[in-house]
Amino acid sequence: MRRAPWLLAAMLLVAGCSGQSDAEPKDPPRRPAPPPKFGVNLSGAEGRENDAARPTLADVRNAVDRLRFGLIRYPFRPSRMTADRVDELKAIAAFTRSRGVPLILDNHNSRWNPVGEQIAFWTDLARQFPDDGSVMIDLVNEPGNVEWMHWASEAKAVIAGLRRGGVRHPILLQWPGWSGIQRFDKHESADGACQSAGCALDRTPGPLDPIDRTFLNGHRYFDSDGSGTKRDCTNDKGEPRTESGFDRFARQLRRRGLRGYITESAFGSYAAIPPGCMAVGADAVAQLRANSDVLLGVTWWGGGRMWPDRYLFKIECPKNVRFTCPPSEYQRMLNPALSTSPGPMPGPDPRTGPTESRR
């Protein structure tokens, strides 16, 4: 059908005013959401030499009751999950559940094992914990030995296999490339190979999770190469960072109908926040709050007795006074609850649970 020239001009003008680039298409509308959970990694059970410094119930109680963190991530090595270790974890999980604080069990071996092995391992472990949203399973930390498309198709196969086996726990999914959120979507061309998690998931058929309880799980450090090995928060030009990139990651999730967590990030230590890190740290906290419809929470890196007092991202104060020292400026930035008057402990997050438990 032919259109009048004035009508075609008007249509082009409207399209030009409202159009978005391929890299940044228009966001879908946001839905009201509870505030994000601010949490902490408690390291020790993933130590390479031994796990003597693994978190105790007293360590977890300190993080929850005194430092008021609302989410705990427990990194571990699967080879050490003996019956005694699992019993310790059950006691920790019972405590965090009583406080309404979800516990993330993080397989920290960084190996992407065959689909059947992953299903068997997590089925056996997960069935020993409630599936009401109080315990989440982090499949593999920073998988490093798998190609993008294989990762996406096998991740969906692992998740589907766990669901067929009756595992209903919330699942956290990381990706190759150190799980960096700054590399989640590289906007690959349609005829180019995938070099990012977003591309690989988009091109892999089938749902991510048949019961919609799987969440993307990314990391973000603010040094020049994003490795988390340097104290300074600078870009590749040596300039101080001011933007965390959390909002960009949130937009990429929102456009795909996905939700996620940031499970590793840091910008200081108990002793001090580097002056050049203050702005990017404040932006990270602000963007978590502004995007809580898709960014459900964060677990900051650097907690746990495994770290020496000189560690650049150590969250707690010196070990000999860790249960009594006053909150520091860094702890207050990491957890806004420390800057407010005490209130009731948080209840279950309606986005991840509860569901009726069969335990």
Side-chain angles (χ1 to χ4, degrees):
M1 180 176 64
R2 296 182 64 184
R3 302 182 188 273
W6 66 267
L7 180 58
L8 287 173
M11 292 172 65
L12 289 172
L13 178 62
V14 170
C17 291
S18 62
Q20 302 283 327
S21 70
D22 291 339
E24 295 295 339
K26 185 177 180 180
D27 278 355
R30 302 188 192 189
R31 297 180 179 180
K37 294 183 180 296
F38 288 89
V40 64
N41 283 268
L42 292 180
S43 287
E46 83 278 29
R48 292 185 180 277
E49 302 301 327
N50 62 69
D51 63 354
R54 65 189 181 276
T56 65
L57 183 56
D59 294 323
V60 177
R61 185 184 297 274
N62 183 59
V64 172
D65 285 353
R66 197 173 71 86
L67 298 179
R68 304 185 66 194
F69 283 114
L71 184 62
I72 301 294
R73 185 173 183 243
Y74 185 106
F76 67 87
R77 286 191 175 270
S79 60
R80 298 205 178 103
M81 284 295 102
T82 62
D84 289 344
R85 296 291 192 270
V86 173
D87 285 343
E88 288 180 2
L89 262 180
K90 287 180 180 178
I92 288 171
F95 168 75
T96 55
R97 187 172 187 256
S98 74
R99 296 296 196 265
V101 173
L103 176 68
I104 299 171
L105 303 183
D106 161 40
N107 171 8
H108 213 77
N109 70 350
S110 300
R111 283 201 57 79
W112 189 257
N113 289 327
V115 169
E117 290 183 22
Q118 293 192 54
I119 293 173
F121 171 77
W122 277 115
T123 298
D124 179 64
L125 185 60
R127 283 177 174 171
Q128 302 183 65
F129 295 89
D131 62 2
D132 57 2
S134 62
V135 173
M136 298 189 275
I137 60 177
D138 189 346
L139 289 183
V140 181
N141 180 73
E142 298 181 349
N145 60 318
V146 60
E147 183 270 336
W148 287 108
M149 296 304 295
H150 289 161
W151 164 81
S153 62
E154 290 182 358
K156 291 183 177 183
V158 170
I159 294 164
L162 289 171
R163 299 313 188 201
R164 284 194 300 271
V167 174
R168 296 182 57 84
H169 300 70
I171 294 173
L172 274 60
L173 176 65
Q174 298 187 49
W175 55 89
W178 310 104
S179 304
I181 65 167
Q182 70 274 28
R183 296 182 290 271
F184 177 74
D185 186 347
K186 292 186 176 181
H187 306 294
E188 293 90 331
S189 62
D191 58 352
C194 283
Q195 298 294 326
S196 69
C199 172
L201 290 173
D202 292 346
R203 296 184 188 179
T204 303
L208 180 61
D209 183 343
I211 65 171
D212 195 27
R213 296 190 87 195
T214 292
F215 308 94
L216 276 295
N217 167 18
H219 299 168
R220 180 59 168 140
Y221 294 97
F222 303 117
D223 49 2
S224 58
D225 58 0
S227 64
T229 58
K230 298 178 286 296
R231 193 178 304 274
D232 296 332
C233 300
T234 56
N235 59 26
D236 55 7
K237 298 179 181 178
E239 303 164 336
R241 290 189 189 275
T242 58
E243 297 181 355
S244 63
F246 287 9
D247 53 339
R248 182 170 179 265
F249 181 50
R251 290 194 299 271
Q252 293 167 350
L253 293 176
R254 194 177 290 116
R255 290 197 294 267
R256 292 175 168 86
L258 299 172
R259 294 168 291 172
Y261 289 83
I262 308 291
T263 53
E264 288 187 25
S265 188
F267 55 91
S269 70
Y270 179 89
I273 304 171
C277 294
M278 190 69 72
V280 75
D283 183 73
V285 172
Q287 294 302 335
L288 284 162
R289 288 172 142 173
N291 293 281
S292 65
D293 60 317
V294 292
L295 295 182
L296 307 188
V298 61
T299 49
W300 303 105
W301 185 254
R305 287 179 294 118
M306 182 174 80
W307 304 115
D309 292 339
R310 65 181 181 278
Y311 179 51
L312 73 166
F313 294 138
K314 183 175 173 60
I315 288 176
E316 295 108 341
C317 61
K319 297 176 185 179
N320 59 335
V321 291
R322 70 185 187 278
F323 296 147
T324 58
C325 59
S328 71
E329 180 184 23
Y330 186 54
Q331 289 176 337
R332 292 183 187 278
M333 281 194 70
L334 294 182
N335 186 14
L338 276 177
S339 299
T340 61
S341 57
M345 293 303 297
D349 189 329
R351 299 166 292 185
T352 60
T355 59
E356 183 179 356
S357 175
R358 294 186 293 277
R359 307 293 177 260

